Amino acid sequence: MNRSNVYISPARERPKLKPITAWRHMQQLIANKEDTEQVFHIIEALNGDSALKDFDRFLSTPEGRSRLKKRDYLPPILDNHEPLLALPKGSVGRTYVEFMEREGLSAAGLVAESERRSAAWREIDDDLLWYGNLLRDTHDMMHILTGYGRDALGEAALLGFTHSQHGGLGISFIAFMGGRQLAKAAPRDARIQDVIREGRRNGKLARRIIEQDIEALLPRQLEEVRRELNINEPVAYRRAHDVIRAHGLDPYEAMAA
């Protein structure tokens, strides 16, 4: 890939695989699934040069090059709830804000969690950092676009979707371990592994969300956008929720640990 117009800081060290570090952070994430800071540590420990390869793929598309030129920064847009709530019911933006307020989340909160890493990492301000931030800032929007909720199973399935779109051993490892842990807690007929496989399959079939102009999608109807991006319904995920409820359990609490 020709990166003649792209700045990659010479201060960046070639990433090394650190499986022991990843395992340690995975244990912390298993102990507390809300400790999403651990996700960033696991990805850093296992992804190697996959981020640069994914960035090259992004730059190979007209949409990606256009987004880099624009260098949009989503958190202030996504955290400005009043205009998004004024959008029509069923729109991407309004559905997103309703989700974020219901879950008590903010785009700025995810930024803060991702920046609890080394000062050296934060000092590297280049185009690859911008791309990594863009991936981070679209995570909660991907919940809306894919239909996977923020319960533990929804997060694991969404990571499977994300891995199919972007690669990276770290993301794949988290999705795998998440499915493995959840299968221990869920009723067997919920078929948890089918849900993770569905997430991976849906991610492979869909157009790459990272290449879309998220701000332009906000006023559009969610179902229309899903059709346009070829995002399939999360059938196995919804079936698993139905099975879990049929066992008298709450899918948001039964597998929370």
Side-chain angles (χ1 to χ4, degrees):
M1 173 68 200
N2 182 5
R3 302 193 199 112
S4 58
N5 296 319
V6 175
Y7 174 63
I8 304 294
S9 172
R12 279 189 178 274
E13 297 181 2
R14 187 183 181 96
K16 299 177 181 177
L17 293 178
K18 301 175 182 178
I20 295 175
T21 299
W23 182 254
R24 187 176 70 249
H25 288 293
M26 175 57 72
Q27 295 308 302
Q28 295 179 55
L29 182 61
I30 289 172
N32 177 14
K33 82 172 186 70
E34 296 295 331
D35 187 7
T36 52
E37 180 185 346
Q38 304 308 321
V39 170
F40 298 107
H41 289 302
I42 295 167
I43 291 172
E44 285 185 348
L46 291 181
N47 268 13
D49 61 358
S50 64
L52 191 56
K53 291 178 180 177
D54 186 52
F55 186 41
D56 282 345
R57 183 180 176 189
F58 177 80
L59 293 173
S60 71
T61 67
E63 295 84 1
R65 293 191 295 273
S66 175
R67 294 203 70 185
L68 177 61
K69 186 176 181 180
K70 184 180 177 184
R71 291 184 70 87
D72 48 352
Y73 184 59
L74 292 174
I77 297 168
L78 297 177
D79 279 344
N80 188 9
H81 286 190
E82 187 175 349
L84 298 181
L85 284 171
L87 292 172
K89 185 175 178 60
S91 63
V92 172
R94 181 164 166 179
T95 305
Y96 170 83
V97 168
E98 290 170 348
F99 168 82
M100 297 295 279
E101 292 189 348
R102 185 170 62 249
E103 296 290 336
L105 301 172
S106 69
L110 191 57
V111 171
E113 287 182 359
S114 75
E115 291 183 348
R116 288 181 193 144
R117 288 174 280 175
S118 69
W121 175 86
R122 292 196 296 270
E123 287 171 1
I124 297 175
D125 186 9
D126 60 6
D127 291 332
L128 185 57
L129 175 64
W130 170 82
Y131 183 66
N133 288 344
L134 185 63
L135 287 167
R136 174 200 66 201
D137 298 336
T138 54
H139 173 76
D140 288 318
M141 179 59 70
M142 286 179 72
H143 277 292
I144 301 307
L145 295 175
T146 64
Y148 290 114
R150 198 173 167 267
D151 58 299
L153 181 57
E155 290 285 7
L158 181 58
L159 285 171
F161 184 103
T162 302
H163 176 255
S164 290
Q165 295 237 318
H166 301 285
L169 180 59
I171 295 173
S172 185
F173 178 58
I174 299 169
F176 169 78
M177 288 298 294
R180 185 168 175 263
Q181 290 297 120
L182 294 170
K184 296 177 182 178
R188 190 171 183 178
D189 51 344
R191 298 169 63 176
I192 297 301
Q193 294 302 334
D194 284 355
V195 179
I196 308 304
R197 282 190 285 268
E198 175 188 66
R200 293 181 186 275
R201 184 170 60 252
N202 285 356
K204 190 174 293 185
L205 294 172
R207 290 171 57 187
R208 295 233 302 172
I209 292 174
I210 195 66
E211 292 162 9
Q212 310 308 311
D213 185 338
I214 298 298
E215 189 174 2
L217 296 181
L218 295 174
R220 297 181 56 191
Q221 284 295 299
L222 176 57
E223 292 305 319
E224 174 191 322
V225 170
R226 285 174 174 167
R227 287 193 298 271
E228 183 177 296
L229 300 184
N230 199 34
I231 299 174
N232 290 339
E233 294 288 329
V235 177
Y237 169 69
R238 291 173 181 166
R239 177 192 172 279
H241 271 215
D242 290 341
V243 169
I244 293 166
R245 291 191 182 98
H247 281 262
L249 301 171
D250 183 338
Y252 283 82
E253 295 178 359
M255 299 178 292

